[in-house]
Amino acid sequence: MMKRRTFLQACVGAALTSGVGHAVWAASPDALFTRQFPDHEGVETSLGQWLGRPVVFNFWATWCPPCIKEMPDLQALSQQFPGVQFVGLGVDTAANVRKFMPKVNVSYPLLVTGYAGIDLMKSLGNAAGGLPFTLVYDAAGQVVERILGQIKPAELEAVLQRFPVA
């Protein structure tokens, strides 16, 4: 026998996915937006400041060749979609990120998670903890895309085109 709560959740879910009805509540943002990380100089940055706009969080490391290879593509997409905030989350040390920055020029923020970023990635759906790992969030802070491995620019562009132009 189905419990009332389970039944109601199933009905609401079916109505929302079928386009019938309206949600009377909003889902809370992903817990990632409650976190803060330092930049390469140690200045703390709250990820919550970007709620209200689409965000691409890219986990990377200075020692990861595919991570470095995709950074120019991420930079180009950040320029093409100015209404989307791009953020690099370095699974590395601040010293390594600081030394790396002149090698690949990006205009989006690069923050440092340290090696604890591996556990964070696992909690966000990357069971292997592999790099690079990219998450795309909508303006409400809900994950709309997870990409494990190097991005394919055309595929990420198609995801970003779903968001309204700012």
Side-chain angles (χ1 to χ4, degrees), residues 40 56-80 86-92 96-112 131-134 149-153 156:
H40 65 283
V56 174
F57 288 113
N58 174 253
F59 287 85
W60 69 286
T62 61
W63 42 265
C64 167
C67 300
I68 296 164
K69 188 174 180 187
E70 76 179 359
M71 288 179 95
D73 292 328
L74 291 167
Q75 173 62 25
L77 288 167
S78 76
Q79 298 297 305
Q80 184 179 346
F86 283 68
V87 180
L89 298 173
V91 182
D92 213 319
N96 285 346
V97 172
R98 195 170 27 259
K99 283 189 267 182
F100 173 80
M101 288 179 71
K103 294 178 185 175
V104 176
N105 189 23
V106 296
S107 61
Y108 55 85
L110 296 177
L111 306 178
V112 180
L131 288 172
F133 180 55
T134 304
Q150 189 173 333
I151 64 154
K152 293 177 177 64
L156 183 53

Side-chain angles (χ1 to χ4, degrees), residues 90-162:
V91 182
D92 213 319
T93 66
N96 285 346
V97 172
R98 195 170 27 259
K99 283 189 267 182
F100 173 80
M101 288 179 71
K103 294 178 185 175
V104 176
N105 189 23
V106 296
S107 61
Y108 55 85
L110 296 177
L111 306 178
V112 180
T113 68
Y115 297 111
I118 293 171
D119 288 334
L120 178 57
M121 288 188 305
K122 288 179 179 180
S123 75
L124 294 168
N126 178 354
L131 288 172
F133 180 55
T134 304
L135 295 164
V136 180
Y137 286 85
D138 64 15
Q142 302 298 309
V143 175
V144 297
E145 192 74 30
R146 285 182 176 85
I147 304 165
L148 178 57
Q150 189 173 333
I151 64 154
K152 293 177 177 64
E155 290 177 11
L156 183 53
E157 180 180 0
V159 172
L160 299 177
Q161 285 175 343
R162 292 188 237 160

